Amino acid sequence: MVKNQIPDIVVGRLPRYLQELLHMTQKDQKTTSSQELGERLGISSAQIRKDLSQFGEFGKQGTGYSISYLIEQLQVILKVDKVWDIALIGAGDLGHAIARYQGFKNRGFRVAMVFDNDPAKIGSSIGDFVVQDTANIGTLVEQANIKVAMLTVPVSAAQEVAEALVRAGVRAILNYAPTPLNLPEHVCVQYIDPIVALQHMTYYLG
Amino acid sequence: MVKNQIPDIVVGRLPRYLQELLHMTQKDQKTTSSQELGERLGISSAQIRKDLSQFGEFGKQGTGYSISYLIEQLQVILKVDKVWDIALIGAGDLGHAIARYQGFKNRGFRVAMVFDNDPAKIGSSIGDFVVQDTANIGTLVEQANIKVAMLTVPVSAAQEVAEALVRAGVRAILNYAPTPLNLPEHVCVQYIDPIVALQHMTYYLG
DNA sequence: CATTGTGAACGGGTTCACAGCA
DNA sequence: TGCTGTGAACCCGTTCACAATG
């Protein structure tokens, strides 16, 4: 996750802007302002204007932003103006849920392959997928030119699987296993751990 | 999510420290240093020392930190030295996966109730739970004195359900629905949206 | 007249560097 | 000697406030 010019924290807010803008179009709204968008997201209008100004001038004084235009621009910036194939590793309960989730496609992603190392699961079907053997990640992921992966394996397998994915050319990993991954600089990693989020909140509870 | 003294961003790191310390005990490690912990988490040692010093003096010069003692202290700080009951709303694929997840208990949480508004699901069993009618959140959550909830409902239902939870006394909500929630100041909200995390990463992909 | 884009001011989180101590 | 705890320095993200403009 190398930073060049733009702060990583700014990049991290763009997907939320994009998401809320999509909600607006679904309600046939055509334009919005930094103030309106900010109120919905709990972010100051100045911050939104500043963030967007890092990438160009997308608004008009007096009238605000064209929602459809801003969506297009954000999709280009975030490189989701195309659909990324995802390799999903781990066909447990969570893997099942993700494999069957219908919300990826119109936001720039598509689960393309599902892997597991359990012989009982390999060859079985999940949604539209046949579960592949984790041992074949190297060849299959590389051949399919997949650059993005999601990890829903046990902690004990996470590091090893992640390394195999990187060797196969994966450059971005979303890790659901509650453990940090040690990977080369050039690989992006994000973590999703509901318990970390819950513990963050319980701190504030009387 | 009101801040008093300690920066929210510091609080957000503590669960990660706790998680990694638990990994260390599982490998029978007894002590660690800010440097070792930092290397594992990709955080500077100075930051870890500074963060911990906000809450007290837990280490010893020359030897570092007693892992078991630091775990105890962090559990108290984060209020996970007890087990919180959680209400889970939404018995879809993701709700199923969460209801059956075995990783909550030894980190301070326990799913206690599962709700859905689909008549076909109400009364059915998920793991050890009988799915309750969302309409009864008010009474059941209040009676059980539940303060923490997880939302795995469609976007269209999220705001309404969240408000019902707050009326029933819930003070912390982990929202998996890809939409922001508008709730009173005193309620903590955290969001988990894999697509936001994925789009954050694709920005950096060539 | 409403709203953007932005330089400047501000604030606060991170890093530094070292005294202090086991 | 090794490592913590911490004031001070630094850095960087946020907010402010206003000129510019459709």
Side-chain angles (χ1 to χ4, degrees), chain A residues 88-89 94-95 98 104 149-155 158 173-179 181 190-194, chain B residues 19 94 101 107 176 192-195 197-198:
Chain A
L88 172 63
I89 297 87
L94 183 56
I98 291 171
F104 286 114
M150 298 174 78
L151 236 60
T152 58
V153 301
V155 166
I173 296 177
L174 181 53
N175 181 25
Y176 280 83
T179 185
L181 299 177
Q190 292 267 316
Y191 299 89
I192 288 187
D193 184 347
Chain B
Q19 184 197 78
L94 183 55
Y101 181 55
R107 292 175 72 191
Y176 281 83
I192 289 187
D193 184 348
I195 296 172
L198 289 168

PDB file of all heavy atoms in Angstrom, chain A residues 88-89 94-95 98 104 149-155 158 173-179 181 190-194, chain B residues 19 94 101 107 176 192-195 197-198:
ATOM      1  N   LEU A  88     -11.912 -16.371  -3.970  1.00  0.00           N
ATOM      2  CA  LEU A  88     -12.380 -16.514  -2.582  1.00  0.00           C
ATOM      3  C   LEU A  88     -11.801 -17.802  -2.028  1.00  0.00           C
ATOM      4  O   LEU A  88     -12.031 -18.883  -2.581  1.00  0.00           O
ATOM      5  CB  LEU A  88     -13.910 -16.556  -2.573  1.00  0.00           C
ATOM      6  CG  LEU A  88     -14.612 -16.882  -1.255  1.00  0.00           C
ATOM      7  CD1 LEU A  88     -14.314 -15.823  -0.204  1.00  0.00           C
ATOM      8  CD2 LEU A  88     -16.121 -16.988  -1.489  1.00  0.00           C
ATOM      9  N   ILE A  89     -11.054 -17.691  -0.932  1.00  0.00           N
ATOM     10  CA  ILE A  89     -10.432 -18.885  -0.359  1.00  0.00           C
ATOM     11  C   ILE A  89     -11.031 -19.169   1.007  1.00  0.00           C
ATOM     12  O   ILE A  89     -10.943 -18.348   1.918  1.00  0.00           O
ATOM     13  CB  ILE A  89      -8.901 -18.718  -0.246  1.00  0.00           C
ATOM     14  CG1 ILE A  89      -8.295 -18.545  -1.633  1.00  0.00           C
ATOM     15  CG2 ILE A  89      -8.304 -19.975   0.377  1.00  0.00           C
ATOM     16  CD1 ILE A  89      -8.251 -17.153  -2.142  1.00  0.00           C
ATOM     17  N   LEU A  94     -18.884 -18.456   6.216  1.00  0.00           N
ATOM     18  CA  LEU A  94     -18.685 -17.099   5.720  1.00  0.00           C
ATOM     19  C   LEU A  94     -18.379 -17.098   4.229  1.00  0.00           C
ATOM     20  O   LEU A  94     -18.912 -16.279   3.475  1.00  0.00           O
ATOM     21  CB  LEU A  94     -17.552 -16.421   6.503  1.00  0.00           C
ATOM     22  CG  LEU A  94     -17.260 -14.973   6.157  1.00  0.00           C
ATOM     23  CD1 LEU A  94     -18.501 -14.106   6.294  1.00  0.00           C
ATOM     24  CD2 LEU A  94     -16.135 -14.439   7.045  1.00  0.00           C
ATOM     25  N   GLY A  95     -17.551 -18.026   3.800  1.00  0.00           N
ATOM     26  CA  GLY A  95     -17.238 -18.148   2.385  1.00  0.00           C
ATOM     27  C   GLY A  95     -18.497 -18.387   1.560  1.00  0.00           C
ATOM     28  O   GLY A  95     -18.700 -17.785   0.503  1.00  0.00           O
ATOM     29  N   ILE A  98     -20.437 -15.148   1.234  1.00  0.00           N
ATOM     30  CA  ILE A  98     -19.818 -14.220   0.290  1.00  0.00           C
ATOM     31  C   ILE A  98     -20.004 -14.702  -1.143  1.00  0.00           C
ATOM     32  O   ILE A  98     -20.301 -13.925  -2.042  1.00  0.00           O
ATOM     33  CB  ILE A  98     -18.320 -14.035   0.620  1.00  0.00           C
ATOM     34  CG1 ILE A  98     -18.181 -13.272   1.942  1.00  0.00           C
ATOM     35  CG2 ILE A  98     -17.594 -13.313  -0.506  1.00  0.00           C
ATOM     36  CD1 ILE A  98     -16.781 -13.214   2.499  1.00  0.00           C
ATOM     37  N   PHE A 104     -21.952  -7.580  -5.229  1.00  0.00           N
ATOM     38  CA  PHE A 104     -20.636  -7.217  -5.748  1.00  0.00           C
ATOM     39  C   PHE A 104     -20.682  -6.552  -7.117  1.00  0.00           C
ATOM     40  O   PHE A 104     -20.062  -5.533  -7.361  1.00  0.00           O
ATOM     41  CB  PHE A 104     -19.737  -8.460  -5.846  1.00  0.00           C
ATOM     42  CG  PHE A 104     -19.236  -8.958  -4.522  1.00  0.00           C
ATOM     43  CD1 PHE A 104     -19.635 -10.181  -4.015  1.00  0.00           C
ATOM     44  CD2 PHE A 104     -18.344  -8.194  -3.782  1.00  0.00           C
ATOM     45  CE1 PHE A 104     -19.161 -10.628  -2.784  1.00  0.00           C
ATOM     46  CE2 PHE A 104     -17.863  -8.642  -2.554  1.00  0.00           C
ATOM     47  CZ  PHE A 104     -18.282  -9.861  -2.057  1.00  0.00           C
ATOM     48  N   ALA A 149      -8.158 -10.962  -3.928  1.00  0.00           N
ATOM     49  CA  ALA A 149      -8.618 -12.167  -3.243  1.00  0.00           C
ATOM     50  C   ALA A 149      -9.271 -11.823  -1.912  1.00  0.00           C
ATOM     51  O   ALA A 149      -8.968 -10.795  -1.305  1.00  0.00           O
ATOM     52  CB  ALA A 149      -7.447 -13.119  -3.003  1.00  0.00           C
ATOM     53  N   MET A 150     -10.183 -12.704  -1.484  1.00  0.00           N
ATOM     54  CA  MET A 150     -10.763 -12.596  -0.158  1.00  0.00           C
ATOM     55  C   MET A 150     -10.442 -13.872   0.598  1.00  0.00           C
ATOM     56  O   MET A 150     -10.591 -14.972   0.072  1.00  0.00           O
ATOM     57  CB  MET A 150     -12.277 -12.397  -0.251  1.00  0.00           C
ATOM     58  CG  MET A 150     -12.648 -11.116  -0.984  1.00  0.00           C
ATOM     59  SD  MET A 150     -14.433 -10.928  -1.252  1.00  0.00           S
ATOM     60  CE  MET A 150     -14.943 -10.399   0.372  1.00  0.00           C
ATOM     61  N   LEU A 151     -10.022 -13.693   1.862  1.00  0.00           N
ATOM     62  CA  LEU A 151      -9.586 -14.826   2.681  1.00  0.00           C
ATOM     63  C   LEU A 151     -10.583 -15.092   3.793  1.00  0.00           C
ATOM     64  O   LEU A 151     -10.759 -14.281   4.693  1.00  0.00           O
ATOM     65  CB  LEU A 151      -8.234 -14.469   3.316  1.00  0.00           C
ATOM     66  CG  LEU A 151      -7.063 -15.402   3.078  1.00  0.00           C
ATOM     67  CD1 LEU A 151      -6.793 -15.476   1.586  1.00  0.00           C
ATOM     68  CD2 LEU A 151      -5.824 -14.900   3.806  1.00  0.00           C
ATOM     69  N   THR A 152     -11.214 -16.257   3.740  1.00  0.00           N
ATOM     70  CA  THR A 152     -12.111 -16.659   4.834  1.00  0.00           C
ATOM     71  C   THR A 152     -11.702 -18.037   5.336  1.00  0.00           C
ATOM     72  O   THR A 152     -12.523 -18.939   5.454  1.00  0.00           O
ATOM     73  CB  THR A 152     -13.585 -16.679   4.360  1.00  0.00           C
ATOM     74  OG1 THR A 152     -13.710 -17.583   3.254  1.00  0.00           O
ATOM     75  CG2 THR A 152     -14.042 -15.316   3.932  1.00  0.00           C
ATOM     76  N   VAL A 153     -10.407 -18.128   5.639  1.00  0.00           N
ATOM     77  CA  VAL A 153      -9.843 -19.384   6.142  1.00  0.00           C
ATOM     78  C   VAL A 153      -9.533 -19.231   7.626  1.00  0.00           C
ATOM     79  O   VAL A 153      -9.516 -18.119   8.146  1.00  0.00           O
ATOM     80  CB  VAL A 153      -8.556 -19.746   5.369  1.00  0.00           C
ATOM     81  CG1 VAL A 153      -8.840 -19.900   3.890  1.00  0.00           C
ATOM     82  CG2 VAL A 153      -7.471 -18.698   5.601  1.00  0.00           C
ATOM     83  N   PRO A 154      -9.246 -20.340   8.332  1.00  0.00           N
ATOM     84  CA  PRO A 154      -8.862 -20.226   9.738  1.00  0.00           C
ATOM     85  C   PRO A 154      -7.534 -19.488   9.890  1.00  0.00           C
ATOM     86  O   PRO A 154      -6.726 -19.450   8.955  1.00  0.00           O
ATOM     87  CB  PRO A 154      -8.702 -21.689  10.185  1.00  0.00           C
ATOM     88  CG  PRO A 154      -9.486 -22.492   9.206  1.00  0.00           C
ATOM     89  CD  PRO A 154      -9.407 -21.751   7.911  1.00  0.00           C
ATOM     90  N   VAL A 155      -7.337 -18.910  11.071  1.00  0.00           N
ATOM     91  CA  VAL A 155      -6.111 -18.183  11.366  1.00  0.00           C
ATOM     92  C   VAL A 155      -4.881 -19.013  11.022  1.00  0.00           C
ATOM     93  O   VAL A 155      -3.914 -18.514  10.451  1.00  0.00           O
ATOM     94  CB  VAL A 155      -6.074 -17.780  12.859  1.00  0.00           C
ATOM     95  CG1 VAL A 155      -4.680 -17.329  13.275  1.00  0.00           C
ATOM     96  CG2 VAL A 155      -7.085 -16.678  13.136  1.00  0.00           C
ATOM     97  N   ALA A 158      -4.016 -18.767   7.289  1.00  0.00           N
ATOM     98  CA  ALA A 158      -4.096 -17.481   6.589  1.00  0.00           C
ATOM     99  C   ALA A 158      -2.770 -17.060   5.953  1.00  0.00           C
ATOM    100  O   ALA A 158      -2.725 -16.729   4.760  1.00  0.00           O
ATOM    101  CB  ALA A 158      -4.597 -16.400   7.548  1.00  0.00           C
ATOM    102  N   ILE A 173      -5.557  -8.162  -0.979  1.00  0.00           N
ATOM    103  CA  ILE A 173      -6.174  -9.230  -0.198  1.00  0.00           C
ATOM    104  C   ILE A 173      -7.053  -8.630   0.885  1.00  0.00           C
ATOM    105  O   ILE A 173      -6.611  -7.788   1.665  1.00  0.00           O
ATOM    106  CB  ILE A 173      -5.106 -10.134   0.452  1.00  0.00           C
ATOM    107  CG1 ILE A 173      -4.293 -10.855  -0.629  1.00  0.00           C
ATOM    108  CG2 ILE A 173      -5.751 -11.138   1.401  1.00  0.00           C
ATOM    109  CD1 ILE A 173      -3.170 -11.718  -0.093  1.00  0.00           C
ATOM    110  N   LEU A 174      -8.298  -9.095   0.906  1.00  0.00           N
ATOM    111  CA  LEU A 174      -9.196  -8.719   1.989  1.00  0.00           C
ATOM    112  C   LEU A 174      -9.264  -9.890   2.957  1.00  0.00           C
ATOM    113  O   LEU A 174      -9.795 -10.946   2.618  1.00  0.00           O
ATOM    114  CB  LEU A 174     -10.583  -8.384   1.416  1.00  0.00           C
ATOM    115  CG  LEU A 174     -11.631  -7.936   2.433  1.00  0.00           C
ATOM    116  CD1 LEU A 174     -11.142  -6.794   3.292  1.00  0.00           C
ATOM    117  CD2 LEU A 174     -12.918  -7.547   1.711  1.00  0.00           C
ATOM    118  N   ASN A 175      -8.712  -9.699   4.144  1.00  0.00           N
ATOM    119  CA  ASN A 175      -8.518 -10.797   5.085  1.00  0.00           C
ATOM    120  C   ASN A 175      -9.570 -10.807   6.191  1.00  0.00           C
ATOM    121  O   ASN A 175      -9.618  -9.900   7.018  1.00  0.00           O
ATOM    122  CB  ASN A 175      -7.119 -10.681   5.705  1.00  0.00           C
ATOM    123  CG  ASN A 175      -6.833 -11.792   6.681  1.00  0.00           C
ATOM    124  OD1 ASN A 175      -7.422 -12.871   6.593  1.00  0.00           O
ATOM    125  ND2 ASN A 175      -5.922 -11.540   7.605  1.00  0.00           N
ATOM    126  N   TYR A 176     -10.396 -11.850   6.204  1.00  0.00           N
ATOM    127  CA  TYR A 176     -11.389 -12.018   7.271  1.00  0.00           C
ATOM    128  C   TYR A 176     -10.841 -12.819   8.446  1.00  0.00           C
ATOM    129  O   TYR A 176     -11.492 -12.900   9.485  1.00  0.00           O
ATOM    130  CB  TYR A 176     -12.633 -12.731   6.728  1.00  0.00           C
ATOM    131  CG  TYR A 176     -13.592 -11.857   5.961  1.00  0.00           C
ATOM    132  CD1 TYR A 176     -13.378 -11.583   4.616  1.00  0.00           C
ATOM    133  CD2 TYR A 176     -14.714 -11.306   6.576  1.00  0.00           C
ATOM    134  CE1 TYR A 176     -14.254 -10.798   3.902  1.00  0.00           C
ATOM    135  CE2 TYR A 176     -15.602 -10.511   5.858  1.00  0.00           C
ATOM    136  CZ  TYR A 176     -15.375 -10.254   4.532  1.00  0.00           C
ATOM    137  OH  TYR A 176     -16.247  -9.467   3.831  1.00  0.00           O
ATOM    138  N   ALA A 177      -9.686 -13.430   8.278  1.00  0.00           N
ATOM    139  CA  ALA A 177      -9.098 -14.182   9.393  1.00  0.00           C
ATOM    140  C   ALA A 177      -8.541 -13.200  10.411  1.00  0.00           C
ATOM    141  O   ALA A 177      -7.846 -12.262  10.038  1.00  0.00           O
ATOM    142  CB  ALA A 177      -7.991 -15.100   8.883  1.00  0.00           C
ATOM    143  N   PRO A 178      -8.840 -13.404  11.687  1.00  0.00           N
ATOM    144  CA  PRO A 178      -8.418 -12.430  12.698  1.00  0.00           C
ATOM    145  C   PRO A 178      -6.949 -12.543  13.049  1.00  0.00           C
ATOM    146  O   PRO A 178      -6.598 -12.876  14.167  1.00  0.00           O
ATOM    147  CB  PRO A 178      -9.323 -12.747  13.894  1.00  0.00           C
ATOM    148  CG  PRO A 178      -9.694 -14.176  13.734  1.00  0.00           C
ATOM    149  CD  PRO A 178      -9.685 -14.459  12.260  1.00  0.00           C
ATOM    150  N   THR A 179      -6.108 -12.261  12.087  1.00  0.00           N
ATOM    151  CA  THR A 179      -4.658 -12.291  12.294  1.00  0.00           C
ATOM    152  C   THR A 179      -3.996 -11.407  11.243  1.00  0.00           C
ATOM    153  O   THR A 179      -4.460 -11.334  10.112  1.00  0.00           O
ATOM    154  CB  THR A 179      -4.124 -13.732  12.178  1.00  0.00           C
ATOM    155  OG1 THR A 179      -2.745 -13.750  12.502  1.00  0.00           O
ATOM    156  CG2 THR A 179      -4.303 -14.267  10.776  1.00  0.00           C
ATOM    157  N   LEU A 181      -1.343 -10.231   8.433  1.00  0.00           N
ATOM    158  CA  LEU A 181      -0.579 -10.922   7.403  1.00  0.00           C
ATOM    159  C   LEU A 181       0.729 -10.187   7.156  1.00  0.00           C
ATOM    160  O   LEU A 181       0.778  -8.960   7.185  1.00  0.00           O
ATOM    161  CB  LEU A 181      -1.383 -10.979   6.094  1.00  0.00           C
ATOM    162  CG  LEU A 181      -2.713 -11.717   6.152  1.00  0.00           C
ATOM    163  CD1 LEU A 181      -3.424 -11.627   4.800  1.00  0.00           C
ATOM    164  CD2 LEU A 181      -2.509 -13.167   6.552  1.00  0.00           C
ATOM    165  N   GLN A 190      -6.314  -5.475   3.531  1.00  0.00           N
ATOM    166  CA  GLN A 190      -7.292  -4.864   4.422  1.00  0.00           C
ATOM    167  C   GLN A 190      -7.844  -5.973   5.309  1.00  0.00           C
ATOM    168  O   GLN A 190      -7.915  -7.127   4.886  1.00  0.00           O
ATOM    169  CB  GLN A 190      -8.423  -4.219   3.617  1.00  0.00           C
ATOM    170  CG  GLN A 190      -8.008  -3.012   2.804  1.00  0.00           C
ATOM    171  CD  GLN A 190      -8.210  -1.711   3.549  1.00  0.00           C
ATOM    172  OE1 GLN A 190      -9.229  -1.486   4.177  1.00  0.00           O
ATOM    173  NE2 GLN A 190      -7.207  -0.852   3.485  1.00  0.00           N
ATOM    174  N   TYR A 191      -8.246  -5.572   6.500  1.00  0.00           N
ATOM    175  CA  TYR A 191      -8.740  -6.545   7.471  1.00  0.00           C
ATOM    176  C   TYR A 191     -10.203  -6.281   7.798  1.00  0.00           C
ATOM    177  O   TYR A 191     -10.615  -5.137   7.942  1.00  0.00           O
ATOM    178  CB  TYR A 191      -7.919  -6.474   8.750  1.00  0.00           C
ATOM    179  CG  TYR A 191      -6.454  -6.786   8.520  1.00  0.00           C
ATOM    180  CD1 TYR A 191      -5.544  -5.791   8.186  1.00  0.00           C
ATOM    181  CD2 TYR A 191      -5.996  -8.086   8.603  1.00  0.00           C
ATOM    182  CE1 TYR A 191      -4.206  -6.079   7.949  1.00  0.00           C
ATOM    183  CE2 TYR A 191      -4.665  -8.391   8.369  1.00  0.00           C
ATOM    184  CZ  TYR A 191      -3.781  -7.376   8.046  1.00  0.00           C
ATOM    185  OH  TYR A 191      -2.459  -7.669   7.802  1.00  0.00           O
ATOM    186  N   ILE A 192     -10.966  -7.353   7.926  1.00  0.00           N
ATOM    187  CA  ILE A 192     -12.325  -7.244   8.437  1.00  0.00           C
ATOM    188  C   ILE A 192     -12.447  -8.209   9.599  1.00  0.00           C
ATOM    189  O   ILE A 192     -12.344  -9.429   9.431  1.00  0.00           O
ATOM    190  CB  ILE A 192     -13.369  -7.566   7.355  1.00  0.00           C
ATOM    191  CG1 ILE A 192     -13.422  -6.420   6.343  1.00  0.00           C
ATOM    192  CG2 ILE A 192     -14.745  -7.780   7.995  1.00  0.00           C
ATOM    193  CD1 ILE A 192     -14.519  -6.540   5.319  1.00  0.00           C
ATOM    194  N   ASP A 193     -12.592  -7.658  10.790  1.00  0.00           N
ATOM    195  CA  ASP A 193     -12.760  -8.474  11.986  1.00  0.00           C
ATOM    196  C   ASP A 193     -13.862  -7.865  12.836  1.00  0.00           C
ATOM    197  O   ASP A 193     -13.663  -6.839  13.485  1.00  0.00           O
ATOM    198  CB  ASP A 193     -11.453  -8.531  12.777  1.00  0.00           C
ATOM    199  CG  ASP A 193     -11.549  -9.456  13.991  1.00  0.00           C
ATOM    200  OD1 ASP A 193     -12.668  -9.847  14.348  1.00  0.00           O
ATOM    201  OD2 ASP A 193     -10.500  -9.760  14.588  1.00  0.00           O
ATOM    202  N   PRO A 194     -15.037  -8.466  12.816  1.00  0.00           N
ATOM    203  CA  PRO A 194     -16.167  -7.869  13.540  1.00  0.00           C
ATOM    204  C   PRO A 194     -15.872  -7.683  15.017  1.00  0.00           C
ATOM    205  O   PRO A 194     -16.367  -6.737  15.627  1.00  0.00           O
ATOM    206  CB  PRO A 194     -17.301  -8.876  13.326  1.00  0.00           C
ATOM    207  CG  PRO A 194     -16.675 -10.108  12.803  1.00  0.00           C
ATOM    208  CD  PRO A 194     -15.418  -9.703  12.126  1.00  0.00           C
TER     209      PRO A 194
ATOM    210  N   GLN B  19      -5.804  -8.791  20.379  1.00  0.00           N
ATOM    211  CA  GLN B  19      -5.868  -9.966  19.518  1.00  0.00           C
ATOM    212  C   GLN B  19      -4.501 -10.620  19.344  1.00  0.00           C
ATOM    213  O   GLN B  19      -4.356 -11.837  19.484  1.00  0.00           O
ATOM    214  CB  GLN B  19      -6.395  -9.491  18.158  1.00  0.00           C
ATOM    215  CG  GLN B  19      -6.639 -10.541  17.145  1.00  0.00           C
ATOM    216  CD  GLN B  19      -6.751  -9.891  15.777  1.00  0.00           C
ATOM    217  OE1 GLN B  19      -5.765  -9.523  15.163  1.00  0.00           O
ATOM    218  NE2 GLN B  19      -7.981  -9.759  15.309  1.00  0.00           N
ATOM    219  N   LEU B  94     -25.428 -14.273   5.494  1.00  0.00           N
ATOM    220  CA  LEU B  94     -24.430 -13.690   6.383  1.00  0.00           C
ATOM    221  C   LEU B  94     -24.844 -13.851   7.844  1.00  0.00           C
ATOM    222  O   LEU B  94     -24.016 -14.188   8.698  1.00  0.00           O
ATOM    223  CB  LEU B  94     -24.238 -12.210   6.043  1.00  0.00           C
ATOM    224  CG  LEU B  94     -23.178 -11.462   6.838  1.00  0.00           C
ATOM    225  CD1 LEU B  94     -21.821 -12.145   6.755  1.00  0.00           C
ATOM    226  CD2 LEU B  94     -23.071 -10.015   6.350  1.00  0.00           C
ATOM    227  N   TYR B 101     -20.776 -18.724  14.033  1.00  0.00           N
ATOM    228  CA  TYR B 101     -19.354 -18.449  14.245  1.00  0.00           C
ATOM    229  C   TYR B 101     -18.964 -18.751  15.684  1.00  0.00           C
ATOM    230  O   TYR B 101     -19.619 -18.326  16.625  1.00  0.00           O
ATOM    231  CB  TYR B 101     -19.050 -17.000  13.905  1.00  0.00           C
ATOM    232  CG  TYR B 101     -17.605 -16.591  14.053  1.00  0.00           C
ATOM    233  CD1 TYR B 101     -16.598 -17.280  13.396  1.00  0.00           C
ATOM    234  CD2 TYR B 101     -17.247 -15.504  14.839  1.00  0.00           C
ATOM    235  CE1 TYR B 101     -15.278 -16.907  13.522  1.00  0.00           C
ATOM    236  CE2 TYR B 101     -15.921 -15.114  14.968  1.00  0.00           C
ATOM    237  CZ  TYR B 101     -14.944 -15.822  14.305  1.00  0.00           C
ATOM    238  OH  TYR B 101     -13.630 -15.442  14.433  1.00  0.00           O
ATOM    239  N   ARG B 107     -13.593 -13.819  23.123  1.00  0.00           N
ATOM    240  CA  ARG B 107     -13.160 -12.438  22.905  1.00  0.00           C
ATOM    241  C   ARG B 107     -14.188 -11.437  23.449  1.00  0.00           C
ATOM    242  O   ARG B 107     -14.137 -10.256  23.141  1.00  0.00           O
ATOM    243  CB  ARG B 107     -12.863 -12.198  21.422  1.00  0.00           C
ATOM    244  CG  ARG B 107     -11.622 -12.998  20.964  1.00  0.00           C
ATOM    245  CD  ARG B 107     -11.362 -12.880  19.484  1.00  0.00           C
ATOM    246  NE  ARG B 107     -10.856 -11.573  19.089  1.00  0.00           N
ATOM    247  CZ  ARG B 107     -10.754 -11.179  17.827  1.00  0.00           C
ATOM    248  NH1 ARG B 107     -11.135 -11.971  16.855  1.00  0.00           N
ATOM    249  NH2 ARG B 107     -10.299  -9.980  17.536  1.00  0.00           N
ATOM    250  N   TYR B 176     -23.639  -4.226   8.902  1.00  0.00           N
ATOM    251  CA  TYR B 176     -23.143  -4.845   7.672  1.00  0.00           C
ATOM    252  C   TYR B 176     -23.888  -4.357   6.432  1.00  0.00           C
ATOM    253  O   TYR B 176     -23.470  -4.662   5.311  1.00  0.00           O
ATOM    254  CB  TYR B 176     -23.280  -6.369   7.745  1.00  0.00           C
ATOM    255  CG  TYR B 176     -22.215  -7.067   8.559  1.00  0.00           C
ATOM    256  CD1 TYR B 176     -22.318  -7.168   9.945  1.00  0.00           C
ATOM    257  CD2 TYR B 176     -21.100  -7.633   7.944  1.00  0.00           C
ATOM    258  CE1 TYR B 176     -21.351  -7.819  10.694  1.00  0.00           C
ATOM    259  CE2 TYR B 176     -20.126  -8.296   8.690  1.00  0.00           C
ATOM    260  CZ  TYR B 176     -20.252  -8.380  10.054  1.00  0.00           C
ATOM    261  OH  TYR B 176     -19.291  -9.021  10.789  1.00  0.00           O
ATOM    262  N   ILE B 192     -19.184  -2.398   8.475  1.00  0.00           N
ATOM    263  CA  ILE B 192     -18.370  -3.381   7.776  1.00  0.00           C
ATOM    264  C   ILE B 192     -18.936  -3.552   6.381  1.00  0.00           C
ATOM    265  O   ILE B 192     -20.065  -4.016   6.213  1.00  0.00           O
ATOM    266  CB  ILE B 192     -18.344  -4.734   8.515  1.00  0.00           C
ATOM    267  CG1 ILE B 192     -17.516  -4.602   9.793  1.00  0.00           C
ATOM    268  CG2 ILE B 192     -17.758  -5.823   7.612  1.00  0.00           C
ATOM    269  CD1 ILE B 192     -17.284  -5.903  10.524  1.00  0.00           C
ATOM    270  N   ASP B 193     -18.168  -3.105   5.402  1.00  0.00           N
ATOM    271  CA  ASP B 193     -18.600  -3.245   4.006  1.00  0.00           C
ATOM    272  C   ASP B 193     -17.406  -3.712   3.200  1.00  0.00           C
ATOM    273  O   ASP B 193     -16.501  -2.931   2.911  1.00  0.00           O
ATOM    274  CB  ASP B 193     -19.116  -1.908   3.478  1.00  0.00           C
ATOM    275  CG  ASP B 193     -19.659  -2.024   2.067  1.00  0.00           C
ATOM    276  OD1 ASP B 193     -19.433  -3.060   1.414  1.00  0.00           O
ATOM    277  OD2 ASP B 193     -20.304  -1.066   1.598  1.00  0.00           O
ATOM    278  N   PRO B 194     -17.386  -4.982   2.827  1.00  0.00           N
ATOM    279  CA  PRO B 194     -16.221  -5.511   2.118  1.00  0.00           C
ATOM    280  C   PRO B 194     -15.933  -4.755   0.833  1.00  0.00           C
ATOM    281  O   PRO B 194     -14.774  -4.637   0.443  1.00  0.00           O
ATOM    282  CB  PRO B 194     -16.603  -6.972   1.835  1.00  0.00           C
ATOM    283  CG  PRO B 194     -18.059  -7.069   2.092  1.00  0.00           C
ATOM    284  CD  PRO B 194     -18.409  -6.009   3.065  1.00  0.00           C
ATOM    285  N   ILE B 195     -16.962  -4.244   0.195  1.00  0.00           N
ATOM    286  CA  ILE B 195     -16.730  -3.568  -1.080  1.00  0.00           C
ATOM    287  C   ILE B 195     -16.029  -2.242  -0.880  1.00  0.00           C
ATOM    288  O   ILE B 195     -15.189  -1.847  -1.684  1.00  0.00           O
ATOM    289  CB  ILE B 195     -18.061  -3.425  -1.843  1.00  0.00           C
ATOM    290  CG1 ILE B 195     -18.570  -4.822  -2.179  1.00  0.00           C
ATOM    291  CG2 ILE B 195     -17.873  -2.593  -3.103  1.00  0.00           C
ATOM    292  CD1 ILE B 195     -19.935  -4.868  -2.756  1.00  0.00           C
ATOM    293  N   ALA B 197     -13.841  -1.758   1.395  1.00  0.00           N
ATOM    294  CA  ALA B 197     -12.457  -2.165   1.616  1.00  0.00           C
ATOM    295  C   ALA B 197     -11.786  -2.561   0.299  1.00  0.00           C
ATOM    296  O   ALA B 197     -10.617  -2.236   0.064  1.00  0.00           O
ATOM    297  CB  ALA B 197     -12.406  -3.323   2.612  1.00  0.00           C
ATOM    298  N   LEU B 198     -12.518  -3.248  -0.559  1.00  0.00           N
ATOM    299  CA  LEU B 198     -11.953  -3.669  -1.847  1.00  0.00           C
ATOM    300  C   LEU B 198     -11.666  -2.463  -2.742  1.00  0.00           C
ATOM    301  O   LEU B 198     -10.611  -2.372  -3.369  1.00  0.00           O
ATOM    302  CB  LEU B 198     -12.927  -4.621  -2.558  1.00  0.00           C
ATOM    303  CG  LEU B 198     -13.073  -6.017  -1.952  1.00  0.00           C
ATOM    304  CD1 LEU B 198     -14.273  -6.743  -2.573  1.00  0.00           C
ATOM    305  CD2 LEU B 198     -11.810  -6.837  -2.157  1.00  0.00           C
TER     306      LEU B 198
END
